[in-house]
Amino acid sequence: MSNHGYEDELRSEQDYVAELYARLDAERTRVKGEFRTALRDHGGSAVERDVEVRALAREAKRLDVADNGLCFGRLDSTSGERSYIGRIGIFDEDDDYEPMLLDWRAPAARPFYTATGANPENMRRRRQFHTRGRRIVDFTDELLGRPDGDAQGDAALLAAVNAPRGEGMRDIVATIQAEQDEIIRLDHPGVLVIEGGPGTGKTVVALHRVAYLLYTQRERMERHGVLVVGPNPAFLNHIGRVLPSLGESDVVFTTTGGLVPGLRVTAEDTPEAARIKGSLKVLDVLAAAIADRQRLPEQPIRIELSDVTVRIDAETAEWARQEARDSGAPHNEARAVFTEIVTYVLTERAIGRIGRGWLTRDDKEAWEQLRGDLLEELARNDAFTTALDELWPVLTPETLLAPLYESPERLRAAGADDALLRAQGDAWTVSDVPLLDELVDMLGRVKSADREAEREREREAEYAAGVMEILQVERQDMMDDEDHLLAQDLLHADELADRFVERDTRDLAERAAADRDWTYRHVVVDEAQELSEMDWRVLMRRCPSRSFTVVGDLAQRRSAAGATSWGAMLDPYVPGRWVYRSLTVNYRTPAEIMAVAASVLAEFAPEVAPPDSVRSCGVQPWSRQVGGDELIAAVEEFTRDEAGREGTSVVIGPPDLPGAVPASETKGLEYDAVLVVDPERILADGPRGAAELYVALTRATQRLGVLHRGALPQALSGLDEAVPARS
């Protein structure tokens, strides 16, 4: 194409995209107008209005996010048809709703990502736009239908991967590659495992898969929402923009530490404690710890009643305990069985003593009358209540687990390792979360709290009924006096009553995040190699349909409780219902840096092949040995130099180094420039130190430097021992 022809094409494409934006603006104006009207409208019930308002709010948000990069390309078929591909679908209302812009998730848009020179899928040309705001800066054409393809086809991808990084992960909707698209659109109802080395895009592929599922299964998915579980808050903040940028908001983002609502994680376990808590064997410890709290009295417990003194002895308590355990009910619910047996024995004994000489079982009415009086007296007796609490206490997960951790005796009684002992039992760790969640079911609900909640609901219902009764009387009075009948007054009064009953105005994500019993339609688990067997039990409870996208890299596992194979974690829950896909191309890490990281990988996981980098950056990674007094100055020099560049940077090093972050907190993140400090100390930090160093080295997209005080580890011998050139 001549330069003149290219400019004409560029203007023509810009005119078309301008028309798309005009349609988008008109639709947005219409939706926002309906939204404002719905907010003011007093017709219908509060529930109906709430549904309408939320639907319009979602639609307005979807249209707003589409403004950024609305259209990113065009497909030309061999039959001469043209299809424009973009962030959302736009239709021509004046032409029988013909598509002017195809949503990237639509089946007809798939060849934009999958057509190749060897397999053109009836396509002749793929045109990719490079946009800035609402303007097309330029475009590249890839001619399809010939085996050698077109070198320009990679231009959009290379422009994206070479661009400076911002504060958060960007979507890849304009540059999805064929192997990624296959995974995004995979039709599998169970668990999909996506494994790939650093920079292969497995996280962003998983998020685009969520957007695709929400598009293709909207009605089924959005009622329950999607849960995304990541390794740390920094990672969640990094990826948090991707789904909203694709128009999806019914998503809860959390770490494994946030899976129990209201719990605050403040401490960190030793590797051994984390390993023990992550194993399924800890279930036996929890069961034994509960059984240990179901006690027998060492001496008979005296209960003084008005006419007689009775005693709870070990024999009675043992019978009651066995009946309660045999009921199969959770601990707190089984307390009712324990109480019933103890109460029966005490009342029988009391009746026998009180009625000695004058009362027999033949006098059923008198016998039952006396039993009823004794039951009422026992219910009010503080000593009896205290005895029940001592022998079969009402327990919460926290009141069981915290005292267990603080007591060597209780740990031994539960068959637990001393590694679980700690001074402050309620200083919760991430590894405690699945145990606390498990105990919710093992202990059962606290009945008193449930009864209070039920009474509160009953009070609200009674109050609302009273309001409606008053309103009906007032309405009749007003109808009798037509001069005072104002329709808006009646509607406002009805709205007041409706609003009282339907008060929860939180969106789905807020409601789901606050409800331990909420179940999700789909769950995404990132850095899944770090999850323990107990973590998986929590997640499976959150998703009864077992619909998961699991993302990870076994070579990067650091946790001693993490996965050594995907089958070991998944087969107990979804045997035959999980599939595996791998990503092999590294879009983030340039070849120069990946060569260094691959040397580290070869030392601790020689059986794992490193991903192939799609590009080179032309900048060699470097190392520099510094003395102890030079280290801080060298770090400051790096920080100062990078501050003058576009993009992001990070210093990764030991936790005692000012301004540095540990490698574990950078998992899943990416930076233009990375400085790794004291790699020898990272390697020495536990059995998975090499995996930590591998993670640290593969965070960089452009520039990598290493500062070391001791000898440079052999695996890093490929680094240039020099001060990096100034720019």
Side-chain angles (χ1 to χ4, degrees):
M1 184 185 300
S2 67
N3 187 61
H4 179 72
Y6 176 86
E7 293 297 329
D8 287 345
E9 279 283 293
L10 184 61
R11 280 192 295 271
S12 175
E13 299 290 28
Q14 180 60 59
D15 289 343
Y16 190 88
V17 170
E19 174 62 21
L20 292 177
Y21 273 110
R23 303 265 179 163
L24 175 68
D25 291 339
E27 181 67 6
R28 186 158 43 203
T29 299
R30 181 190 66 79
V31 169
K32 290 185 176 179
E34 291 182 2
F35 176 76
R36 288 190 294 269
T37 299
L39 288 176
R40 293 192 305 266
D41 186 13
H42 294 295
S45 71
V47 176
E48 291 170 341
R49 288 195 303 281
D50 192 45
V51 170
E52 181 183 8
V53 167
R54 289 183 180 181
L56 289 168
R58 282 197 300 270
E59 179 65 9
K61 187 180 296 185
R62 186 182 77 90
L63 296 173
D64 282 340
V65 300
D67 207 29
N68 182 26
L70 174 62
C71 178
F72 40 79
R74 189 186 95 190
L75 271 175
D76 296 352
S77 72
T78 54
S79 63
E81 296 180 355
R82 290 182 177 181
S83 300
Y84 287 84
I85 315 299
R87 199 166 289 272
I88 65 170
I90 294 179
F91 301 89
D92 188 351
E93 298 179 12
D94 301 327
D95 189 15
D96 201 22
Y97 284 89
E98 282 294 310
M100 296 181 65
L101 183 68
L102 286 176
D103 190 299
W104 67 274
R105 295 164 288 194
R110 183 168 189 174
F112 187 79
Y113 303 111
T114 58
T116 64
N119 183 24
E121 300 187 32
N122 297 319
M123 295 297 152
R124 182 175 59 85
R125 183 200 314 269
R126 173 169 43 226
R127 174 168 291 178
Q128 292 177 292
F129 298 150
H130 175 207
T131 62
R132 185 174 297 120
R134 294 189 168 198
R135 186 170 63 86
I136 301 178
V137 177
D138 56 46
F139 66 82
T140 58
D141 281 345
E142 182 181 4
L143 300 179
L144 304 170
R146 56 191 200 192
D148 59 344
D150 191 313
Q152 285 187 309
D154 291 334
L157 172 64
L158 291 175
V161 298
N162 281 310
R165 266 50 185 176
E167 293 182 357
M169 179 180 282
R170 297 167 295 189
D171 67 61
I172 59 168
V173 64
T175 58
I176 294 171
Q177 301 302 292
E179 72 167 359
Q180 297 172 329
D181 185 80
E182 179 184 354
I183 294 172
I184 289 170
R185 299 174 192 264
L186 185 66
D187 183 16
H188 179 70
V191 177
L192 167 64
V193 175
I194 306 173
E195 184 164 27
T200 53
K202 52 189 178 293
T203 296
V204 74
V205 166
L207 296 175
H208 283 68
R209 175 168 168 77
V210 169
Y212 175 76
L213 292 174
L214 285 167
Y215 174 79
T216 57
Q217 304 175 29
R218 175 75 58 189
E219 185 175 347
R220 187 175 73 89
M221 295 278 289
E222 69 178 358
R223 286 197 300 269
H224 291 266
V226 174
L227 175 66
V228 176
V229 180
N232 54 60
F235 174 83
L236 295 178
N237 183 60
H238 178 64
I239 70 171
R241 302 178 184 179
V242 175
L243 285 170
S245 76
L246 298 173
E248 307 300 347
S249 58
D250 291 336
V251 181
V252 174
F253 292 88
T254 188
T255 65
T256 52
L259 288 172
V260 173
L263 187 74
R264 189 162 169 262
V265 172
T266 60
E268 186 174 347
D269 275 317
T270 64
E272 179 60 12
R275 184 191 65 78
I276 293 170
K277 293 177 183 180
S279 169
L280 293 181
K281 294 178 181 177
V282 80
L283 293 171
D284 294 332
V285 172
L286 298 181
I290 294 172
D292 185 53
R293 301 294 291 271
Q294 300 163 355
R295 313 302 292 267
L296 303 179
E298 295 180 3
Q299 298 293 332
I301 301 173
R302 289 167 53 90
I303 309 295
E304 294 186 3
L305 302 176
S306 57
D307 296 322
V308 68
T309 297
V310 291
R311 290 173 175 81
I312 305 176
D313 53 32
E315 183 181 8
T316 298
E318 186 173 16
W319 176 31
R321 183 174 70 175
Q322 193 60 49
E323 290 290 333
R325 289 176 175 176
D326 290 346
S327 72
H331 170 85
N332 290 327
E333 297 172 23
R335 176 182 161 112
V337 179
F338 180 85
T339 302
E340 181 181 8
I341 298 297
V342 172
T343 301
Y344 170 79
V345 172
L346 296 187
T347 55
E348 283 291 307
R349 290 175 179 173
I351 292 171
R353 293 175 188 173
I354 296 171
R356 184 175 295 148
W358 65 270
L359 180 63
T360 67
R361 288 187 180 274
D362 293 335
D363 192 351
K364 294 182 180 179
E365 185 175 348
W367 191 285
E368 291 304 321
Q369 178 64 46
L370 183 54
R371 180 191 296 279
D373 294 341
L374 288 168
L375 288 174
E376 290 183 8
E377 189 172 358
L378 280 173
R380 298 192 303 268
N381 189 285
D382 292 339
F384 181 63
T385 302
T386 301
L388 291 177
D389 291 340
E390 178 184 339
L391 301 176
W392 198 286
V394 173
L395 295 171
T396 66
E398 293 82 0
T399 58
L400 175 84
L401 210 52
L404 175 67
Y405 289 151
E406 293 174 353
S407 169
E409 294 78 17
R410 280 184 167 149
L411 285 172
R412 282 195 295 272
D417 194 288
D418 287 342
L420 300 185
L421 184 66
R422 67 189 186 209
Q424 186 179 348
D426 61 356
W428 304 117
T429 70
V430 170
S431 300
D432 290 326
V433 170
L435 277 62
L436 291 165
D437 190 74
E438 191 78 37
L439 285 168
V440 172
D441 293 335
M442 295 178 74
L443 293 172
R445 304 295 181 178
V446 179
K447 290 297 183 182
S448 59
D450 287 348
R451 284 197 299 271
E452 180 57 34
E454 183 62 31
R455 282 195 293 268
E456 178 63 21
R457 286 192 293 269
E458 290 173 356
R459 286 193 292 268
E460 289 183 0
E462 289 173 3
Y463 182 85
V467 170
M468 293 304 298
E469 184 176 346
I470 293 171
L471 291 175
Q472 289 171 357
V473 173
E474 290 180 348
R475 174 175 293 187
Q476 186 60 51
D477 290 344
M478 295 169 72
M479 292 177 68
D480 291 342
D481 186 356
E482 293 184 2
D483 292 339
H484 294 88
L485 178 59
L486 299 175
Q488 61 266 34
D489 292 338
L490 292 175
L491 293 172
H492 178 72
D494 282 344
E495 182 182 64
L496 182 63
D498 286 343
R499 291 290 180 190
F500 181 82
V501 177
E502 183 69 20
R503 295 182 304 177
D504 193 345
T505 59
R506 297 172 298 172
D507 61 26
L508 181 143
E510 291 174 317
R511 287 181 284 126
D515 186 354
R516 182 263 175 186
D517 294 323
W518 190 278
T519 58
Y520 296 89
R521 186 62 68 186
H522 190 78
V523 176
V524 176
V525 187
D526 211 324
E527 298 294 340
Q529 73 278 355
E530 305 297 342
L531 269 62
S532 70
E533 293 175 309
M534 289 298 293
D535 289 326
W536 280 109
R537 284 179 65 86
V538 179
L539 293 176
M540 291 296 171
R541 279 194 289 271
R542 299 297 190 273
C543 188
S545 65
R546 304 291 194 261
S547 177
F548 283 76
T549 299
V550 176
V551 181
D553 180 10
L554 294 178
Q556 295 186 55
R557 177 181 65 88
R558 190 175 193 279
S559 170
T564 55
S565 75
W566 299 117
M569 292 299 185
L570 298 174
D571 283 341
Y573 304 102
V574 284
R577 284 194 60 217
W578 67 275
V579 297
Y580 176 89
R581 295 291 185 273
S582 64
L583 293 168
T584 60
V585 179
N586 188 330
Y587 301 99
R588 176 178 67 216
T589 316
E592 296 88 342
I593 296 175
M594 198 61 218
V596 177
S599 297
V600 175
L601 179 65
E603 287 208 353
F604 76 94
E607 74 284 358
V608 178
D612 296 324
S613 295
V614 76
R615 66 188 177 96
S616 297
C617 65
V619 179
Q620 290 297 321
W622 55 270
S623 66
R624 176 182 170 191
Q625 187 166 17
V626 294
D629 56 346
E630 300 174 310
L631 180 62
I632 299 302
V635 172
E636 291 175 348
E637 180 184 355
F638 167 84
T639 304
R640 187 168 53 250
D641 287 349
E642 289 300 329
R645 299 176 186 262
E646 187 179 6
T648 60
S649 63
V650 69
V651 178
I652 301 176
D656 57 356
L657 179 68
V661 298
S664 58
E665 293 186 10
T666 66
K667 277 197 166 185
L669 307 182
E670 56 185 33
Y671 306 87
D672 292 88
V674 172
L675 180 67
V676 178
V677 180
D678 282 343
E680 63 274 25
R681 288 181 61 188
I682 296 175
L683 282 172
D685 182 21
R688 301 297 297 180
E692 287 279 84
L693 182 57
Y694 182 59
V695 169
L697 295 172
T698 53
R699 299 308 94 194
T701 65
Q702 302 290 343
R703 300 174 295 282
L704 172 67
V706 174
L707 294 178
H708 59 105
R709 286 180 282 188
L712 188 68
Q714 178 62 32
L716 300 181
S717 59
L719 290 168
D720 289 342
E721 183 71 26
V723 178
R726 299 286 196 276
S727 61

